[in-house]
Amino acid sequence: MGVLMALLLINSSGVALAEAQRAGTPWTVGNDPTFPPFEYRDPSTNAITGFDVELIEAIGRQAGHPIQLLALPFDGIIPALQSRSIDAAISSITITADRARAIDFSRPYFEAGEAIVVRDGAPDFTSLDQLKGRRIAVQIGTTGAIAASKVPDAQVSNFDSTPLALQELVNGNADAVISDVPAILYAMRQANLHGLHLSGEHLSTEYYGIALPVNSPLQAPINRALGKLISSGRYAALYRKWFGADPPVLPAVAPALLNKVSPMAGLDLALLAQNLVKGAGITLLLTVLSFSFGLFGGTGLAMLLQAPWPLAQRLCRVYIDFFRGTPMLVQLFLIYFGLPALIQSLDIAFTIERLPAAVTALSLNVAAYLAEVLRSGIESIDRGQWEAADALGFSPLERMRFVIAPQAIRRVLPPLANEFITLIKDTSLAAVIGFDELFRQGQLMVATTYRAFEIYIAVALVYLVMTTSASLLFKRLERKLSLPA
Ligand code: ARG
């Protein structure tokens, strides 16, 4: 059965490939459009544009194929090529020997290099060595991230896009960003990123190539079309339009590929296990801290909802509606990136570390959900119990403490377990603020080994172990609290 499926898949991708070659069929080209001036959304037209986009469209015209762009996260591009869900990718992708083990490249179409960016007034670093022990922000899966990972003792935070890494630097949570020179220059000129400058420039010379699945039939037509654009001067015109200078002469083959590329090494299982365990530790820490604070806040909210103060009740409702009604992802971005930028714009020095930021966002959110769970638990206790407590002369607080709460806790345990398990999984959202929790650890390994399936299955299994253990623990607690029959 499995073999049959595999054969079907191979066969259908073969058909798709032959199709992609037929004149006039569109080519699906992936890119991560957060990298101006190469690929980005133009704010005035709201369309995806950039040097890469116009180049691939010119190549498509030359080869007789319309281009269909597909936006992907940068670290998802190589896996998408491996699974042949896209025909090609143009995303300022540096041609490296490591990547050439997993995918193929066109001939080089752009010469770039890496640089270090720092805040004005902060220490300058002119070489990677000087970044030793510093905090470096990078975009996940990029050559900048690879360079940063080799700096001894550096604390590297990986973000989903280069603008987010630069924002981290602006906000004062990183000492440097490593990225591509043309993109940095453009970001500093165009975007709302003030107070940054290039420090170490051209740490490396890199060439961008159009990325293709291994043995893609598109390689020859793309190279032909690119060659034609270069020899006819249309490439130079495009280059001048975007960079205001004449293009350098490009090599026919990227220097990185001149030595024979050895085949991909096997997945290092010990390293995978070690990284996933590290990630699981952070996931657990985030879950336990946020759940504890959330439970505390949720209890407070549930009490206030019971109290005879209409204004307090109304405020609690607004709080719950806001945190239940907006995505946790948005709340994380708001607290981690938005709040410091806002406060700093008022000329007040303010930074927030990622642990407090993540725990704050998660706790605020959990508190809103738990408030409702606890409230329904409290309200489910029979009126007679309340009246009995009153008849015994208990104060409202004593009534809650000795009569209502002990019974309500038993009832709300199952929904509390639900919230806890949901939270274990939701902590993966903290990856967006550069947290190397369980999911991000998997992503980081995929970004260097390109073994998406095996690694994400392993990540899923670790989550499953964590959620199953949590549910067993809650079951035990429930049994312990249940009334003796
Ligand atoms: N050139 C670098 C690399 O290949 C960064 C590319 C980032 N591109 C993007 N569209 N975000 O790793």
Side-chain angles (χ1 to χ4, degrees):
M1 183 64 189
V3 179
L4 194 69
M5 285 267 287
L7 279 177
L8 273 174
L9 281 175
I10 291 169
N11 197 23
S12 64
S13 74
V15 171
L17 283 180
E19 195 112 315
Q21 263 180 304
R22 205 175 304 140
T25 39
W27 284 344
T28 308
V29 179
N31 73 7
D32 163 28
T34 62
F35 208 61
F38 295 97
E39 40 269 329
Y40 65 103
R41 187 187 291 277
D42 182 338
S44 57
T45 61
N46 212 24
I48 303 296
T49 182
F51 175 80
D52 281 0
V53 173
E54 293 194 353
L55 181 67
I56 193 69
E57 274 163 0
I59 289 174
R61 265 197 306 281
Q62 178 72 33
H65 292 270
I67 301 297
Q68 245 160 35
L69 289 178
L70 185 75
L72 289 170
F74 189 75
D75 62 308
I77 289 178
I78 292 181
L81 289 165
Q82 287 176 306
S83 66
R84 296 182 191 261
S85 5
I86 49 179
D87 298 313
I90 188 159
S91 200
S92 323
I93 306 172
T94 302
I95 303 173
T96 69
D98 274 334
R99 289 173 178 168
R101 293 191 178 104
I103 52 166
D104 280 348
F105 282 104
S106 70
R107 55 182 286 178
Y109 73 86
F110 193 87
E111 185 184 298
E114 299 286 301
I116 299 172
V117 203
V118 294
R119 261 188 321 278
D120 296 343
D124 264 339
F125 310 101
T126 48
S127 72
L128 287 177
D129 292 338
Q130 295 175 1
L131 284 174
K132 210 168 132 191
R134 297 300 181 139
R135 300 169 304 168
I136 313 175
V138 290
Q139 180 178 8
I140 185 170
T142 59
T143 43
I146 296 167
S149 71
K150 294 189 181 134
V151 177
D153 303 323
Q155 296 168 41
V156 183
S157 327
N158 285 272
F159 292 88
D160 290 316
S161 74
T162 301
L164 284 181
L166 289 169
Q167 185 69 57
E168 174 86 347
L169 178 63
V170 172
N171 287 358
N173 287 322
D175 303 311
V177 162
I178 307 177
S179 185
D180 305 35
V181 177
I184 298 172
L185 288 178
Y186 193 90
M188 290 190 320
R189 232 175 318 119
Q190 304 287 320
N192 197 16
L193 291 174
H194 304 298
L196 299 183
H197 66 270
L198 280 189
S199 172
E201 203 167 326
H202 286 286
L203 304 169
S204 57
T205 302
E206 298 187 349
Y207 291 95
Y208 298 164
I210 297 164
L212 299 157
V214 192
N215 296 328
S216 165
L218 270 54
Q219 194 178 34
I222 284 182
N223 278 338
R224 252 196 320 272
L226 186 53
K228 192 85 211 281
L229 292 176
I230 293 175
S231 63
S232 69
R234 271 182 285 163
Y235 171 85
L238 192 63
Y239 194 100
R240 257 178 257 126
K241 169 179 169 192
W242 285 95
F243 301 101
D246 285 326
V249 178
L250 294 168
V253 179
L257 301 188
L258 284 180
N259 300 325
K260 202 179 148 12
V261 174
S262 53
M264 191 152 53
L267 190 59
D268 183 344
L269 289 179
L271 185 67
L272 176 65
Q274 186 193 328
N275 287 341
L276 293 189
V277 166
K278 212 178 341 160
I282 297 180
T283 293
L284 196 64
L285 177 76
L286 282 176
T287 308
V288 169
L289 284 179
S290 312
F291 196 78
S292 312
F293 289 127
L295 196 55
F296 193 74
T299 310
L301 286 167
M303 299 288 213
L304 282 178
L305 284 172
Q306 295 297 319
W309 306 313
L311 182 65
Q313 281 187 7
R314 194 130 357 112
L315 288 177
C316 289
R317 283 257 65 97
V318 170
Y319 174 91
I320 293 172
D321 287 343
F322 180 80
F323 282 96
R324 238 179 17 174
T326 55
M328 182 110 91
L329 198 55
V330 176
Q331 295 162 15
L332 266 168
F333 270 83
L334 259 180
I335 291 178
Y336 191 64
F337 294 111
L339 204 58
L342 175 76
I343 299 181
Q344 285 169 17
S345 72
L346 304 173
D347 268 332
I348 305 171
F350 178 82
T351 58
I352 182 162
E353 294 280 324
R354 74 178 100 254
L355 181 69
V359 171
T360 308
L362 293 169
S363 309
L364 289 174
N365 190 284
V366 170
Y369 280 93
L370 291 188
E372 287 294 74
V373 167
L374 296 173
R375 181 182 63 85
S376 62
I378 294 170
E379 285 176 1
S380 74
I381 303 303
D382 188 61
R383 278 292 122 193
Q385 302 279 330
W386 299 72
E387 284 156 14
D390 290 345
L392 289 173
F394 283 179
S395 73
L397 220 56
E398 286 169 336
R399 181 179 64 192
M400 188 55 80
R401 163 85 183 72
F402 296 110
V403 182
I404 308 299
Q407 304 181 63
I409 286 172
R410 273 196 298 274
R411 293 201 184 158
V412 296
L413 266 185
L416 281 188
N418 263 344
E419 289 304 328
F420 191 83
I421 288 169
T422 304
L423 182 62
I424 293 179
K425 296 176 293 172
D426 280 354
T427 53
S428 61
L429 292 172
V432 297
I433 61 170
F435 241 111
D436 293 344
E437 44 64 67
L438 180 51
F439 168 65
R440 180 52 56 108
Q441 288 285 358
Q443 259 185 318
L444 285 167
M445 289 227 44
V446 173
T448 49
T449 61
Y450 314 116
R451 303 285 283 265
F453 187 73
E454 296 99 312
I455 293 175
Y456 288 131
I457 277 285
V459 168
L461 286 177
V462 179
Y463 274 115
L464 201 58
V465 168
M466 295 178 77
T467 50
T468 318
S469 317
S471 106
L472 287 177
L473 276 177
F474 270 96
K475 285 252 162 60
R476 272 201 34 198
L477 198 60
E478 219 177 297
R479 235 173 295 138
K480 220 154 144 200
L481 289 184
S482 72
L483 291 177

